[in-house]
Amino acid sequence: MGKDHKLTVDHGGIAAVRQMFNEFYRVEVTTVGTPKELAERMAHLTKFVSDLIINALQAEAGDHGALHKQYDTFRENLLPTLEPEEFADIYAQTMAYGLFAAKLSAPASATFNRAAAYQYLSANRFLRKLFLDVGEGLDNEVIAPYLDELAKLLNHADMPAILQDFGKRTKTEDPVVHFYETFLAAYDPKLRASRGVFYPPEPAVQFIVNSVDWLLRERFNRPMGLADPDVHVLDPATGTSTFLYFVVRAIHDTLMAHKQGGTWQQYVREKLLPRLFGFELLMAPYVIAHLKLSLLLKDLGYELGKDDRIQVYLTNALDEGVTHAEQLGTLGWYISQEASEAARVKKQVPIMVVLGNPPYSGHSANASKDASGQLNFIGKLVRDYYFVDGAPLGERNPKWLQDDYVKFIRFAQWRIQQTGHGIVAFVTNHSYLDNPTFRGMRKHLMSTFDEIYVLDLHGNTKKKERAPEGGKDENIFDIQQGVAILLAVKLPLDPSGLAARVHHAHLWGEREGKYKYLASHDAGSVKWKTLQPSQPFYLFVPQVVKLREEYEQGCDIAEAMPLNLLGFQTHRDPVAVSFDEKSLRQQVAQYLGQTPSKQDWEANCRRCDYRPFDSRTVYLGKEVADGPRLEVTRHLFEPNLAFNLVRQTRAETWQHALVSDKPTPAVFIEIKDGSSVFPLYLYTTPESTAGTLFAQTETTRTPNLAPAFIEAFSGKLGLTFILDGAGDLKKTFGPEDVFYYAYAVFHSTTYRQRYAEFLKIDFPRLPLTSDKKLFAKLAAKGAELVSLHLLKSPTVDEFITSYPVAGNNRVDKVSYAKRRVSINATQYFGGVPEAVWEFRVGGYQVCDKWLKDRKGRSLSMDDITHYQRIVVALKETVRLMKEIDAAMPAWPID
Ligand SMILES: C[S@@+](CC[C@H](N)C(=O)[O-])C[C@H]1O[C@@H](n2cnc3c(N)ncnc32)[C@H](O)[C@@H]1O
């Protein structure tokens, strides 16, 4: 780009682009009659423009060119982490959507072209200026043909057909939004996911808007609900403004019901436009939002005048909104003015309702720190959720608190606190309701608000949720993450000074049923159940209080076995893990570009338990494995036993305990939820003590059992604890007895079912018995289970299966029918009981998983034997689990 703000021409690039361009437009556009076709064609053109801008930015000399200046403006005012590619997107989308919006507003009879377009954008002055500025700045021989083509394309579009049904009450799908989703899906599907651009189904929006209306009338003494002229409403992640759209309609309905139709014109100008606000970060939905609201108002009989402004701002809602308007050039000035206006809304307007469906993205696109690494505005606010009852959470990995939706809830909470009263009404990810990491957040919300209503809409396909009656449970969005509606109410005068009353309801079932329910209910007609969230978790889900008290009598296994940690994570298993040492050596050598030295190899190459019943070889050297977690893994280099447990799980049932005697990865028993290792013995070796005051010449070990735990258990049982091995169970007991006893309890079906709710949300608690006989009986069963699961029991060689057909032994397609597990068209393992085939450990169906992990490989003789040993081990496990339950007296164990 030259000094005159014009692009200079890169002739080579132009030729290439022209060719693409020509190919695309080889076919003369005939009438474009569907939103899908138009969106796709527009997306292609917009992509070309975006690529051109990236090139121009790269070609611009130094960082002080005009384009860079504008890039900096966007970064300072909207997105501190904006990359050049994203900036190019904003530019390109502004032009595409500017033209689109202009075409929609232009009279059908007018000649529509690039030059005339801006005058039809009068409903949004900011957009008009921006469009003009961007358009003029780039109006040259490179970019102009594209804009002309876009205008031509729009001239060929049958707009009435494309906008068919818009604004009609009976519509099920908004064509303008639908259009945008199709555009984005074709333009940049990744951007769509990273900014959480998923549009809410209308029944959910209706439910939220109707509930807010109800709460305003019932709790805030505002008989006109949302139509009350003092109620300021903000959707901070407004997207295409579906929420504000429904708010306007609800207000219109109320005025009509009060027979006030004659005041509508004045009402909109004086009492409506000044108090509805939206924030949006992306240009395209921002334009659509303006379009959608102006079309709605038009439909309701109000034409936006020259001085009207729909207060949807292009801004980063989570930014404090400090602006530097004076330092910026023309375009910067408009954007910064927009940001200043938005900052005024954020800080000064007494917002009473914050509503919407904020983005969800575990890997938040909204940073918590500024460029210098300091916590920014939202980062500081979210920090409050890292504490509970005055103490830090002490979580090892609280990254889920950085999810975008959490930041938006925190922002909304802050905004209502500033006003002093009001309502937060969001539909979001539902994980915060019961995940232990969110206990600080729940407590914090309880202390700000007086009433909290949670409608859990479920639909968590990751958790494979099913309705309690056993039916299908579907998500109301096209996403896998379960969702919930939150209505948090802060009353003008807190009547009690106490923590919020929390009300909860479930909505299970098929999507259509959920839509029907949401469309016909509001907070006033839901059958809520009142909860009493209490320490330590403050859960926003119902719990059987008595059972919980009983469960909490048990010992927290993470306290009883203080050294516990997530298993190892290499981050590149295809390099760091292999079936055998030889192929591992090749993989590692290829990755490192050299064969590791003998010394390195011996220090880092180990057998590991990679998946249930599936041992492999791993290289744990730092240069290959990012997280060897040697602080725990090294104890498994020596003779040992370890529990592998999950801190929490999304699985439907808890079956998440498995013994290992080798190092295990963080996905050992569960791919999603993280598998933690609890070694029974802690080793002190000459190497680990070399050069210290406590240097040892021999390896020694101590049990990984907390003194308080040992004391409590020993006191209950009346047995003396010995530091190693097993006791006689008459006078003494040892670490291994404790381990086996616990393993048996974890395999009790009654235990798993009775405490299901609690087992899902934290490491298991172990009930301690005072009954010596029961302890001995369970320890014996647990020992049997351990020996089966480590495939050390002689029983596993007493096969119950056959492998009768010869062949190439290749695992092609694994299937199960009539007690046969087929591995290819002809070969199978016969006599596999259904209960064994179905048996799950953690997140894995063992017999299926083991074979599927060998797809494309030919099973060796050892493999065929190994598989049949697994079948015996699982069959015996089913038997032992029944025997364990039969051995238990009445619950709770005493
Ligand atoms: C799930 S969508 C909301 C859709 C919206 N309810 C509608 O009716 O279209 C979330 C929106 O938040 C926007 N967004 C993400 N981060 C933002 C931020 N920091 N500030 C403002 N908007 C943001 C996304 O671009 C996206 O349009």
Side-chain angles (χ1 to χ4, degrees):
M1 179 173 262
K3 281 201 185 100
D4 55 356
H5 294 205
K6 303 279 179 194
L7 285 177
T8 50
V9 178
D10 167 358
H11 290 283
I14 289 179
V17 171
R18 280 232 170 94
Q19 192 191 339
M20 281 194 296
F21 199 18
N22 289 340
E23 270 170 31
F24 188 66
Y25 280 96
R26 221 175 16 215
V27 188
E28 173 64 17
V29 181
T30 50
T31 305
V32 180
T34 67
K36 187 167 187 294
E37 196 184 346
L38 181 63
E40 283 173 356
R41 280 179 171 272
M42 268 180 66
H44 278 109
L45 273 170
T46 313
K47 194 95 197 98
F48 285 150
V49 175
S50 157
D51 289 346
L52 277 178
I53 291 168
I54 295 172
N55 287 345
L57 204 55
Q58 281 163 356
E60 201 173 74
D63 289 347
H64 304 294
L67 256 188
H68 272 98
K69 221 170 180 176
Q70 294 179 344
Y71 172 37
D72 289 344
T73 307
F74 271 87
R75 273 204 309 208
E76 277 186 38
N77 291 286
L78 287 173
L79 292 156
T81 54
L82 190 74
E83 295 292 331
E85 292 75 15
E86 294 171 314
F87 167 69
D89 273 344
I90 294 187
Y91 247 91
Q93 288 194 26
T94 306
M95 281 183 277
Y97 270 87
L99 279 170
F100 178 65
K103 173 68 186 167
L104 283 185
S105 312
S109 56
T111 320
F112 183 75
N113 57 35
R114 171 172 54 91
Y118 81 95
Q119 62 187 288
Y120 302 118
L121 292 168
S122 56
N124 181 341
R125 269 169 293 154
F126 164 68
L127 187 61
R128 192 176 65 203
K129 286 176 190 162
L130 189 65
F131 182 73
L132 247 182
D133 205 57
V134 168
E136 274 182 2
L138 298 174
D139 189 0
N140 60 67
E141 67 172 288
V142 182
I143 224 100
Y146 287 90
L147 299 185
D148 290 336
E149 279 308 321
L150 260 172
K152 214 153 95 191
L153 177 67
L154 290 163
N155 275 329
H156 279 92
D158 179 356
M159 282 300 174
I162 283 165
L163 287 188
Q164 205 181 20
D165 289 344
F166 180 78
K168 298 279 180 324
R169 292 224 148 187
T170 51
K171 78 184 160 57
T172 51
E173 218 171 33
D174 181 339
V176 178
V177 175
H178 188 58
F179 175 81
Y180 172 56
E181 283 202 63
T182 317
F183 174 87
L184 210 54
Y187 179 73
D188 187 351
K190 268 216 287 302
L191 181 69
R192 181 177 171 201
S194 76
R195 291 272 168 223
V197 183
F198 292 97
Y199 293 92
E202 289 182 359
V205 183
Q206 278 166 307
F207 178 88
I208 288 178
V209 171
N210 292 339
S211 296
V212 169
D213 201 46
W214 180 82
L215 286 167
L216 286 168
R217 284 186 273 113
E218 294 296 319
R219 298 286 187 270
F220 292 84
N221 196 19
R222 311 250 176 185
M224 296 291 276
L226 280 161
D228 185 305
D230 287 332
V231 173
H232 292 75
V233 179
L234 168 68
D235 179 350
T238 205
T240 62
S241 277
T242 316
F243 282 87
L244 295 182
Y245 177 98
F246 274 88
V247 167
V248 173
R249 278 189 10 185
I251 292 173
H252 186 258
D253 284 353
T254 306
L255 288 186
M256 293 306 133
H258 284 79
K259 302 195 173 50
Q260 295 302 307
T263 63
W264 182 240
Q265 295 294 327
Q266 285 135 298
Y267 183 89
V268 172
R269 195 172 327 110
E270 291 166 27
K271 307 283 182 205
L272 185 65
L273 293 177
R275 65 181 179 92
L276 293 194
F277 307 94
F279 296 154
E280 174 53 50
L281 198 54
L282 294 183
M283 183 54 83
Y286 165 81
V287 177
I288 299 269
H290 277 273
L291 206 66
K292 186 156 138 179
L293 293 175
S294 53
L295 284 173
L296 170 66
L297 287 171
K298 197 169 167 181
D299 204 46
L300 297 176
Y302 185 86
E303 281 282 357
L304 284 167
K306 251 191 17 254
D307 296 326
D308 289 333
R309 147 123 220 198
I310 289 175
Q311 300 204 63
V312 170
Y313 293 98
L314 187 69
T315 189
N316 184 339
L318 304 177
D319 206 34
E320 201 167 10
V322 186
T323 57
H324 316 276
E326 53 303 335
Q327 302 155 23
L328 302 162
T330 43
L331 171 68
W333 195 81
Y334 303 137
I335 293 183
S336 144
Q337 205 183 29
E338 178 90 350
S340 311
E341 268 296 293
R344 182 188 66 83
V345 176
K346 267 174 233 176
K347 288 186 172 160
Q348 289 165 22
V349 176
I351 300 291
M352 197 174 158
V353 175
V354 184
L355 85 185
N357 69 318
Y360 338 144
S361 171
H363 302 285
S364 170
N366 292 294
S368 271
K369 292 190 175 156
D370 61 22
S372 60
Q374 299 295 313
L375 286 177
N376 59 17
F377 169 67
I378 193 64
K380 281 188 209 143
L381 285 177
V382 167
R383 209 72 218 157
D384 292 340
Y385 290 170
Y386 283 65
F387 294 84
V388 65
D389 296 325
L393 287 179
E395 292 286 325
R396 282 189 191 129
N397 190 9
K399 70 170 180 172
W400 299 118
L401 287 173
Q402 290 297 325
D403 195 309
D404 275 341
Y405 82 91
V406 178
K407 291 179 181 156
F408 273 89
I409 291 181
R410 183 66 191 93
F411 167 78
Q413 179 186 7
W414 169 82
R415 188 46 264 179
I416 294 303
Q417 275 174 311
Q418 299 305 102
T419 305
H421 58 271
I423 303 168
V424 175
F426 276 162
V427 53
T428 68
N429 182 330
H430 71 174
S431 301
Y432 72 97
L433 300 179
D434 62 356
N435 185 317
T437 309
F438 294 77
R439 60 192 190 279
M441 170 177 176
R442 290 189 286 269
K443 181 68 199 299
H444 204 259
L445 288 169
M446 283 172 67
S447 48
T448 296
F449 293 99
D450 300 305
E451 292 177 15
I452 290 175
Y453 298 85
V454 173
L455 178 58
D456 193 341
L457 302 174
H458 296 281
N460 196 333
T461 53
K462 288 186 189 162
K463 255 196 207 174
K464 296 213 176 64
E465 284 197 321
R466 290 183 75 73
E469 298 79 36
K472 230 182 175 180
D473 181 54
E474 291 179 331
N475 201 303
I476 62 157
F477 293 84
D478 286 329
I479 57 172
Q480 294 182 314
Q481 181 55 59
V483 294
I485 289 173
L486 168 73
L487 303 166
V489 180
K490 182 166 176 57
L491 298 169
L493 287 172
D494 179 356
S496 61
L498 298 171
R501 280 176 301 282
V502 179
H503 309 276
H504 177 279
H506 291 291
L507 187 55
W508 297 100
E510 297 190 4
R511 181 182 278 190
E512 276 313 311
K514 290 183 181 178
Y515 285 174
K516 258 196 200 140
Y517 181 92
L518 290 170
S520 56
H521 285 76
D522 61 27
S525 57
V526 174
K527 285 206 171 65
W528 301 106
K529 188 171 171 183
T530 303
L531 309 178
Q532 274 151 354
S534 57
Q535 273 184 324
F537 290 119
Y538 300 102
L539 295 172
F540 283 6
V541 290
Q543 287 227 348
V544 187
V545 177
K546 274 214 95 48
L547 216 58
R548 188 162 140 200
E549 280 167 12
E550 172 190 310
Y551 179 69
E552 284 178 356
Q553 296 295 311
C555 267
D556 180 346
I557 198 75
E559 282 173 17
M561 300 179 83
L563 184 80
N564 59 81
L565 198 61
L566 211 57
F568 66 78
Q569 278 173 301
T570 72
H571 293 149
R572 51 185 72 79
D573 284 5
V575 176
V577 181
S578 189
F579 287 101
D580 58 67
E581 191 173 336
K582 192 167 156 225
S583 54
L584 179 67
R585 198 189 290 267
Q586 282 163 1
Q587 284 169 203
V588 171
Q590 196 180 9
Y591 177 76
L592 295 176
Q594 62 182 44
T595 313
S597 68
K598 188 164 179 281
Q599 201 184 0
D600 278 351
W601 191 258
E602 278 169 7
N604 294 310
C605 172
R606 305 280 162 185
R607 285 299 279 175
C608 68
D609 286 331
Y610 188 61
R611 295 288 184 272
F613 298 93
D614 190 349
S615 298
R616 305 215 193 154
T617 310
V618 62
Y619 186 81
L620 288 170
K622 268 274 188 198
E623 62 283 18
V624 172
D626 290 347
R629 305 228 159 83
L630 290 179
E631 55 274 51
V632 65
T633 316
R634 70 181 182 84
H635 299 291
L636 274 300
F637 293 169
E638 311 287 341
N640 211 339
L641 293 171
F643 289 130
N644 293 271
L645 303 164
V646 284
R647 167 85 193 271
Q648 58 206 251
T649 177
R650 283 166 278 191
E652 211 176 331
T653 47
W654 191 86
Q655 54 229 347
H656 289 69
L658 186 63
V659 63
S660 65
D661 59 357
K662 300 183 204 55
T664 46
V667 289
F668 178 51
I669 55 167
E670 178 65 74
I671 199 88
K672 288 260 154 60
D673 300 323
S675 168
S676 290
V677 192
F678 293 67
L680 178 60
Y681 291 113
L682 304 182
Y683 280 85
T684 313
T685 59
E687 298 85 64
S688 64
T689 52
T692 70
L693 270 182
F694 308 101
Q696 288 187 186
T697 50
E698 278 181 19
T699 298
T700 56
R701 69 181 191 182
T702 49
N704 177 24
L705 293 173
F709 169 79
I710 294 174
E711 200 183 323
F713 212 177
S714 169
K716 265 202 124 165
L717 281 172
L719 297 175
T720 306
F721 185 75
I722 55 168
L723 282 173
D724 205 294
D728 62 11
L729 301 188
K730 295 197 173 70
K731 292 211 166 98
T732 60
F733 74 121
E736 283 161 37
D737 300 312
V738 173
F739 190 92
Y740 297 144
Y741 166 81
Y743 203 54
V745 172
F746 295 157
H747 279 82
S748 150
T749 310
T750 317
Y751 170 84
R752 291 178 174 191
Q753 287 171 352
R754 189 175 176 89
Y755 302 131
E757 277 190 68
F758 318 116
L759 288 166
K760 276 183 198 178
I761 58 169
D762 206 353
F763 285 127
R765 283 181 169 268
L766 182 65
L768 305 184
T769 181
S770 53
D771 178 343
K772 277 195 211 67
K773 275 204 188 120
L774 178 67
F775 180 78
K777 217 190 256 176
L778 290 178
K781 304 272 178 217
E784 243 187 287
L785 278 175
V786 165
S787 137
L788 284 165
H789 293 172
L790 296 175
L791 297 180
K792 287 186 172 159
S793 161
T795 318
V796 298
D797 289 317
E798 295 167 20
F799 294 172
I800 57 163
T801 41
S802 61
Y803 189 70
V805 184
N808 63 10
N809 303 319
R810 222 178 96 99
V811 183
D812 291 333
K813 191 168 179 301
V814 180
S815 63
Y816 179 81
K818 298 191 182 141
R819 295 168 65 88
R820 285 182 181 178
V821 179
S822 299
I823 60 163
N824 56 36
T826 53
Q827 294 182 286
Y828 62 88
F829 292 96
V832 179
E834 191 167 345
V836 169
W837 169 250
E838 295 286 344
F839 197 90
R840 288 181 163 270
V841 173
Y844 306 115
Q845 187 183 341
V846 178
C847 288
D848 189 35
K849 170 81 180 153
W850 192 92
L851 283 171
K852 281 206 175 124
D853 281 354
R854 284 158 179 76
K855 215 163 167 187
R857 293 174 67 91
S858 288
L859 299 182
S860 66
M861 181 65 213
D862 282 350
D863 288 336
I864 294 166
T865 307
H866 183 88
Y867 192 77
Q868 298 186 81
R869 301 174 92 214
I870 299 177
V871 172
V872 180
L874 294 183
K875 183 196 140 231
E876 290 297 297
T877 303
V878 173
R879 170 184 65 82
L880 277 163
M881 284 175 71
K882 284 190 191 132
E883 289 179 13
I884 287 168
D885 267 333
M888 298 275 191
W891 285 80
I893 297 183
D894 183 28

